[in-house]
């Protein structure tokens, strides 16, 4: 792959840095060279300097790290008179030091390592040097617990880190058969070699990263270019408040013959003179773009105008992106014409449904009131007949008919009362005025209402009421209606000799009311519809019990008016438990405060 001019300059700078480093090392060795000193290995200072000078040239000549490290062990360390040498490089993924090149007993003529070893970082002499970044001389390997035998006949060791600007690439490790073999001169030589090697490895690493970055950047640019060009949504790049680039989808949606025709125009030029709020498109477009530049991203709805003159709504997302050293805006637009039509249709449908519901509620309420007048007359006259106020009716059959008329009239009256109650709740005619209640008095009044029914069926009605830290906060009449409906239902659907129990306690910031009976139970398939209007929990014609089917619907609506919850658990043949909750007064206040703070 090719590099840009800026990249070439970077490479030149790296090479110059390497050359300067080698020159400094060369000068250091020249200044310290002493021909009169001949080390134990028989290599004079002049010879060492010649080897290092040649190594400096080879560093530029060699083209791969593998060639370089083998050249280092064979042509540099080996010629310096060292008996054995191994170069370990770090495997960063595995956190191991791995033998990559060797000289002496660990290698063969084909530059292959015999019995390659890998050492965990921090382990052995080599692992310690790599982790501590400090060179070591071990006079006697047999007396150092860190020593890991590789060649068992070696009695002394020297190890230096291959390090450049704080980064450790590996270590150079040399061993000898004699104890106390390595001196500070060996340490200086090996450290110099390691420093020169590290400098070249660092340069290659930088070039590799630069190359990978170039490849990744090119691939990324290609992906974004394809995404930009092939997208079905209009996309534009805005610089200096004009369209710098536009894709073909933008041209197609805005009815331009080609995307280039849209370039260099201001967004307001593809819009009507004013937006729906009355603000000019020019001023508002400037504001929207400034918000996106400031915040990094901005999404809003906008009315655009096609080149053919039609206005249409779009959802626009502006995202700040870098472009040629400056900030630009990447715009993605989506036609929301169909969504707007659906919103209008949905609002219209909701309005129509609400109007129809209110009409139905008013009709039921009016009809219920109209039915009450003749119904009161029927109930009054039938009661007079059953009580024989004006004397005997003359036939037992007439008495039976009068009782049937009165029973049916009462049923119809209850039905009308329930319909009126639901109509009032649904029409929000019932203003639920809440107060602190004496729950014991409420329960006593409710039990008086169901006492006769329970006595007639020999059903044992009991209650358990906890002592509350907070009184029940509710509408007294509505709470009585809820409890009377639930207790009446429980008694109705409990066989003779059964029991009904009302329990009231506090749990999780709510008052909990639990009505449990030992009645017939409700089929599981019916539980999810039992609170629907006109639903009857018991459908067995041989066990049918009189009722309107509105009791639980009223209960549910009243509980919801109190922002409470309703749950029903039932097992056929064993009984039913109805549980409803009402929030504590303190909880209601907290919720109101949170709502006020949110609105503020």
């Amino acid at each position: 792959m090719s590099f840009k001019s800026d990249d070439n300059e970077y490479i030149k700078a790296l090479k110059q840095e390497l050359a300067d480093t080698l020159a400094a090392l060369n000068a250091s060795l020249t200044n310290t060279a002493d021909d009169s000193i001949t080390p134990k290995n028989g290599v004079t200072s002049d010879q060492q300097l010649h080897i290092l000078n040649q190594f400096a040239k080879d560093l530029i000549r060699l083209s791969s790290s593998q060639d370089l490290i083998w050249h280092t062990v064979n042509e540099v360390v080996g010629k310096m008179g060292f008996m054995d040498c191994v170069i370990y490089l770090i495997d960063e993924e595995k956190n191991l030091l791995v033998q990559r090149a060797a000289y002496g007993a660990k290698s063969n003529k084909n530059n292959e390592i015999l019995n390659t070893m890998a050492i965990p970082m921090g382990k052995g002499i080599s692992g310690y040097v790599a982790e501590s970044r400090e060179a070591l001389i071990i006079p006697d390997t047999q007396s150092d617990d860190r020593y890991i035998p590789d060649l068992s006949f070696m009695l002394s060791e020297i190890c230096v880190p291959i390090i450049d600007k704080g980064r450790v690439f590996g270590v150079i490790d040399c061993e000898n058969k004699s104890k106390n073999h390595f001196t500070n001169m060996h340490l200086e030589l090996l450290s110099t070699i390691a420093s020169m090697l590290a400098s070249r490895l660092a340069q290659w690493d930088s070039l590799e990263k630069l190359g990978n970055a170039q490849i990744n950047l090119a691939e990324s640019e290609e992906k974004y270019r394809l995404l930009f060009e092939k997208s079905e949504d209009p996309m534009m790049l805005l610089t200096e408040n004009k369209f710098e680039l536009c894709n073909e989808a933008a041209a197609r949606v805005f009815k331009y013959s080609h995307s280039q025709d849209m370039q260099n125009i201001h967004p307001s030029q593809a819009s009507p003179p004013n937006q729906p709020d009355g603000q000019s498109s020019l001023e508002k477009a400037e504001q929207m773009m400034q918000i996106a530049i400031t915040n990094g991203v901005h999404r809003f709805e906008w009315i655009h105008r096609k080149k053919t003159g039609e206005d249409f709504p779009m959802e626009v997302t502006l995202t700040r992106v870098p472009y040629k050293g400056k900030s630009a805006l990447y715009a993605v637009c989506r036609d929301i014409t169909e969504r707007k039509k659906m919103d209008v249709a949905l609002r219209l449908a909701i309005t129509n449904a609400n109007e129809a519901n209110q009409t139905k509620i008013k009709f039921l309420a009016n009809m219920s009131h109209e039915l009450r007048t003749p119904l009161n007359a029927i109930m009054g006259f039938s009661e007079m007949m059953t009580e024989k106020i004006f004397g005997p009716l003359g036939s037992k059959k007439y008495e039976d008919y009068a009782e049937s008329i009165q029973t049916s009239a009462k049923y119809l009256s209850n039905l009308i009362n329930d319909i009126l109650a639901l109509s009032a709740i649904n029409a929000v005619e019932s203003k639920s005025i809440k107060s602190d209640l004496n729950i014991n008095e409420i329960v006593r009044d409710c039990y008086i209402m169901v006492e006769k029914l329970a006595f007639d069926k020999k059903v044992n009605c009991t209650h358990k009421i906890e002592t509350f830290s907070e009184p029940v906060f509710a509408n007294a009449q509505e709470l009585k209606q809820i409890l009377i409906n639930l207790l009446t239902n429980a008694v109705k659907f409990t066989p003779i000799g059964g029991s009904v129990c009302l329990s009231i306690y506090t749990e999780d910031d709510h008052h909990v009311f639990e009505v449990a009976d030992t009645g017939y139970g409700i089929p599981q398939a019916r539980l999810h519809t039992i609170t629907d209007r006109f639903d009857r929990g018991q459908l067995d014609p041989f066990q049918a019990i009189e009722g309107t089917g509105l009791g639980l619907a009223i209960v549910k609506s009243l509980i919801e008016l109190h922002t409470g919850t309703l749950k029903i658990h039932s097992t056929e043949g064993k009984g039913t438990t109805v549980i409803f909750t009402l929030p504590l007064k303190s909880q209601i206040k907290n919720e109101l405060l949170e709502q006020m703070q949110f609105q503020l």
Side-chain angles (χ1 to χ4, degrees):
M1 65 178 295
S2 61
F3 295 98
K4 297 179 181 178
S5 58
D6 291 345
D7 302 333
N8 287 326
E9 293 299 322
Y10 180 67
I11 295 171
K12 289 179 182 178
L14 285 175
K15 289 183 176 180
Q16 185 60 46
E17 181 183 352
L18 177 61
D20 292 343
T21 301
L22 296 177
L25 290 169
N26 194 357
S28 176
L29 286 170
T30 301
N31 293 334
T32 58
D34 187 349
D35 291 338
S36 63
I37 300 175
T38 301
K40 294 180 181 179
N41 56 21
V43 180
T44 65
S45 298
D46 283 343
Q47 290 172 324
Q48 293 171 0
L49 184 59
H50 175 74
I51 293 171
L52 290 176
N53 281 330
Q54 183 60 43
F55 184 40
K57 297 175 184 177
D58 293 334
L59 285 173
I60 302 299
R61 176 180 61 81
L62 295 170
S63 59
S64 73
S65 60
Q66 189 67 13
D67 290 342
L68 176 59
I69 59 175
W70 277 101
H71 180 84
T72 302
V73 295
N74 289 322
E75 301 299 323
V76 181
V77 179
K79 289 185 176 181
M80 287 286 185
F82 289 85
M83 175 182 293
D84 167 82
C85 177
V86 176
I87 291 181
Y88 293 82
L89 295 184
I90 296 176
D91 184 331
E92 294 181 348
E93 290 185 2
K94 298 180 180 178
N95 201 34
L96 293 173
L97 281 171
V98 182
Q99 294 177 339
R100 298 298 187 188
Y103 169 81
K106 282 286 294 184
S107 66
N108 59 24
K109 296 180 179 180
N110 298 321
N111 280 351
E112 295 173 341
I113 299 177
L114 305 177
N115 301 320
T116 303
M117 178 184 289
I119 299 175
M121 290 288 287
K123 301 296 182 180
I125 304 299
S126 301
Y128 175 83
V129 169
E131 191 169 74
S132 67
R133 305 182 180 193
E134 298 177 358
L136 278 182
I137 294 176
I138 308 300
D140 184 1
T141 58
Q142 292 179 326
S143 62
D144 196 309
D145 293 337
R146 294 170 298 183
Y147 180 69
I148 298 176
D150 189 8
L151 301 174
S152 58
F153 51 86
M154 297 295 182
L155 297 179
S156 60
E157 182 175 1
I158 184 172
C159 187
V160 298
I162 304 171
I163 185 171
D164 180 80
K165 296 177 181 177
R167 179 180 176 184
V168 178
F169 290 88
V171 298
I172 300 178
D173 185 84
C174 297
E175 298 182 9
N176 195 275
K177 294 180 179 180
S178 302
K179 294 181 181 180
N180 301 306
H181 175 77
F182 296 107
T183 65
N184 287 333
M185 184 198 66
H186 292 109
L187 187 65
E188 183 178 350
L189 279 174
L190 212 55
S191 296
T192 301
I193 295 168
S195 178
M196 296 171 73
L197 175 60
S199 180
R200 183 57 167 156
L201 291 176
Q203 182 192 36
W204 272 331
D205 185 65
S206 298
L207 291 174
E208 182 180 359
K209 288 180 179 178
L210 179 63
N212 290 336
Q214 289 284 338
I215 293 171
N216 293 336
L217 179 61
E219 291 177 349
S220 178
E221 288 176 348
E222 179 64 14
K223 288 178 182 177
Y224 280 113
R225 184 186 67 80
L226 290 174
L227 175 64
F228 184 83
E229 292 178 355
K230 303 300 181 182
S231 173
E232 292 297 319
D233 290 325
M235 293 183 178
M236 294 84 84
L237 187 70
L238 291 87
T239 59
E240 299 178 354
N241 298 342
K242 61 181 177 62
F243 294 138
E244 177 81 13
L245 298 171
C246 301
N247 65 357
E248 289 302 320
R252 183 174 62 254
V253 170
F254 284 88
K255 300 299 182 183
Y256 282 79
S257 58
H258 194 272
S259 60
Q260 294 179 352
D261 296 339
M262 291 186 66
Q263 293 178 192
N264 299 319
I265 69 171
H266 191 278
S268 63
Q269 294 176 256
S271 310
N274 296 293
Q275 290 298 303
D277 61 359
Q279 191 173 2
S280 74
S281 292
L282 177 61
E283 292 178 357
K284 191 160 187 175
E286 298 282 353
Q287 290 178 6
M288 298 298 102
M289 289 187 285
Q290 186 56 50
I291 292 172
I293 287 292
T294 303
N295 298 337
V297 65
H298 185 43
R299 179 177 294 176
F300 55 94
E301 291 185 4
W302 189 262
I303 301 298
H304 274 295
R305 175 168 289 179
K306 299 178 182 180
K307 192 175 183 180
T308 50
E310 305 101 310
D311 293 345
F312 65 108
M314 297 197 88
E315 183 183 73
V316 181
T317 302
L318 297 178
T319 305
R320 185 183 66 224
V321 295
Y323 182 73
K324 294 184 178 179
K326 298 181 179 179
S327 290
L329 289 174
Y330 179 61
V332 179
C333 304
R334 182 159 295 173
D335 190 337
I336 56 173
T337 302
E338 292 303 318
R339 191 178 81 185
K340 286 292 185 182
K341 289 180 180 179
M342 291 177 63
D343 288 346
V344 171
L346 180 59
R347 285 196 296 269
L348 180 60
I350 292 173
T351 300
N352 292 339
N354 288 336
E355 290 177 354
N357 192 49
Q358 290 301 315
T359 301
K360 178 191 69 175
I361 291 169
K362 290 177 181 178
F363 171 77
L364 289 173
N366 291 335
M367 284 298 297
S368 298
H369 285 295
E370 291 296 327
L371 288 171
R372 268 189 167 180
T373 301
L375 186 58
N376 286 336
I378 294 171
M379 290 176 64
F381 289 135
S382 62
E383 186 176 355
M384 292 172 60
M385 294 169 68
T386 56
E387 295 294 332
K388 303 173 185 178
I389 292 176
F390 298 107
L393 298 180
S395 172
K396 183 66 171 63
K397 284 289 184 182
Y398 291 145
E399 294 178 11
D400 293 340
Y401 293 157
E403 289 180 1
S404 296
I405 292 171
Q406 188 174 22
T407 300
S408 298
K410 286 181 179 178
Y411 172 81
L412 187 56
S413 177
N414 290 335
L415 177 60
I416 291 171
N417 288 335
D418 286 346
I419 291 174
L420 284 174
L422 276 176
S423 298
I425 293 169
N426 291 339
V428 200
E429 293 173 0
S430 175
K431 302 299 181 182
S432 187
I433 300 174
K434 303 179 180 67
S435 61
D436 293 338
L437 303 179
N438 184 325
I439 195 61
N440 289 288
E441 291 182 1
I442 296 290
V443 171
R444 182 194 63 202
D445 293 345
C446 292
Y447 267 75
I448 290 173
M449 298 295 291
V450 297
E451 187 176 25
K452 185 177 183 305
L453 178 61
F455 178 80
D456 292 342
K457 294 195 67 176
K458 296 182 177 58
V459 172
N460 182 30
C461 282
T462 58
H463 62 267
K464 295 183 292 185
I465 304 175
E466 284 187 1
T467 301
F468 299 138
S469 58
E470 289 188 32
V472 175
F473 186 67
N475 180 284
Q477 189 58 39
E478 291 170 357
L479 181 56
K480 285 181 182 179
Q481 190 172 0
I482 293 170
L483 290 173
I484 289 171
N485 279 358
L486 292 179
L487 289 169
T488 301
N489 267 359
V491 173
K492 277 183 183 179
F493 292 96
T494 298
I496 294 174
S499 63
V500 173
C501 181
L502 169 63
S503 302
I504 307 175
Y505 53 92
T506 303
E507 184 177 272
D508 296 334
D509 298 326
H510 284 77
H511 290 304
V512 182
F513 298 77
E514 184 176 305
V515 179
D517 64 57
T518 58
Y520 304 115
I522 304 167
Q524 291 296 315
R526 301 295 310 286
L527 282 176
H528 69 286
T529 62
I530 196 67
T531 56
D532 294 348
R533 298 172 188 184
F534 301 104
D535 187 276
R536 296 285 298 279
Q538 179 56 261
L539 297 180
D540 187 342
F542 298 102
Q543 293 183 337
I545 298 172
E546 183 181 340
T548 64
L550 288 173
L552 284 177
I554 293 172
V555 166
K556 180 182 178 184
S557 298
L558 290 174
I559 291 172
E560 288 174 349
L561 275 180
H562 285 75
T563 64
T565 62
L566 174 66
K567 293 181 180 179
I568 301 175
H569 307 285
S570 187
T571 303
E572 287 188 84
K574 292 186 178 180
T576 301
T577 300
V578 180
I579 302 172
F580 72 92
T581 66
L582 300 179
L584 299 180
K585 187 176 182 178
S586 58
Q587 181 70 9
I588 297 173
K589 288 182 177 179
N590 291 337
E591 291 176 358
L592 288 174
L593 286 173
E594 289 178 2
Q595 291 176 6
M596 292 173 63
Q597 291 173 355
F598 177 77
Q599 291 171 356
L600 291 173

